[in-house]
C-alpha cells in the first residue's frame, strides 16, 4: 500500500532543506520525496513507510516536525493488468571459490644476524 505523508518541517535555509531530504530519502520504503518550501511541508511517497518513525528521525535531527496528513495513493497502474513477473533463468553457473597459498621466497633467519 503506497502512502503519501505530508510532514511540516522548519526549513529556514538550504542546509536544513538538504538535511531533511537526506533523512527522508534514507527511510525504509521511500520512493519519492518533494518539498513545498512556501508552505514548509515535505511530501514523502513510499510503500510501507512508518510515518511516526520518520517524524521522530526528523525531530532528532532538525528539532521540530509534525505529521500534517497521511493518505493512501491510488495509482492508475493498479487498475490495469498487473505485469507478469519474469521467471528466473533456468541454469545458473556456479563458480567454485579460488584459494591462494602464500609462499615466502626469503624466509627470515632463525639466528640473530648481529652476533
Amino acid at each position: 500500500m503506497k502512502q503519501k505523508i505530508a510532514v511540516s518541517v522548519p526549513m529556514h535555509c538550504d542546509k536544513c532543506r538538504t538535511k531533511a531530504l537526506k533523512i527522508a530519502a534514507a527511510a525504509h520504503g521511500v520512493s519519492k520525496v518533494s518539498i513545498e518550501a512556501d508552505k514548509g511541508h515535505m511530501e514523502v511517497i513510499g510503500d510501507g513507510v512508518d510515518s511516526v518513525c520518520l517524524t521522530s528521525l526528523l525531530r532528532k535531527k532538525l528539532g521540530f516536525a509534525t505529521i500534517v496528513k497521511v493518505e493512501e495513493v491510488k495509482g492508475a497502474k493498479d487498475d490495469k493488468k498487473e505485469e507478469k513477473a519474469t521467471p528466473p533463468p533456468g541454469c545458473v553457473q556456479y563458480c567454485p571459490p579460488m584459494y591462494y597459498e602464500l609462499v615466502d621466497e626469503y624466509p627470515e633467519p632463525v639466528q640473530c644476524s648481529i652476533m
Side-chain angles (χ1 to χ4, degrees):
M1 164 176 80
K2 278 203 167 189
Q3 298 179 27
K4 182 177 181 181
I5 303 167
V7 182
S8 175
V9 180
M11 293 178 270
H12 305 291
C13 59
D14 290 334
K15 184 178 178 182
C16 294
R17 287 186 197 108
T18 305
K19 199 173 194 180
L21 280 173
K22 284 182 181 179
I23 293 168
H28 177 70
V30 174
S31 60
K32 183 179 176 184
V33 180
S34 63
I35 290 182
E36 296 178 14
D38 55 335
K39 295 181 182 178
H41 293 300
M42 178 171 51
E43 289 186 355
V44 179
I45 299 173
D47 189 26
V49 180
D50 187 7
S51 59
V52 176
C53 182
L54 178 64
T55 52
S56 66
L57 283 172
L58 289 167
R59 282 183 190 140
K60 285 180 185 178
K61 300 292 182 176
L62 298 174
F64 178 77
T66 57
I67 299 172
V68 177
K69 67 179 177 178
V70 178
E71 60 185 20
E72 186 178 343
V73 176
K74 295 182 180 177
K77 293 181 181 179
D78 294 339
D79 296 336
K80 296 181 180 179
K81 296 180 192 176
E82 293 183 17
E83 294 180 16
K84 294 182 179 178
T86 58
C91 179
V92 178
Q93 184 178 6
Y94 174 73
C95 297
M98 300 182 83
Y99 297 101
Y100 295 100
E101 184 176 333
L102 181 63
V103 178
D104 286 337
E105 283 188 38
Y106 305 105
E108 293 184 24
V110 179
Q111 298 174 350
C112 182
S113 64
I114 296 174
M115 295 177 133

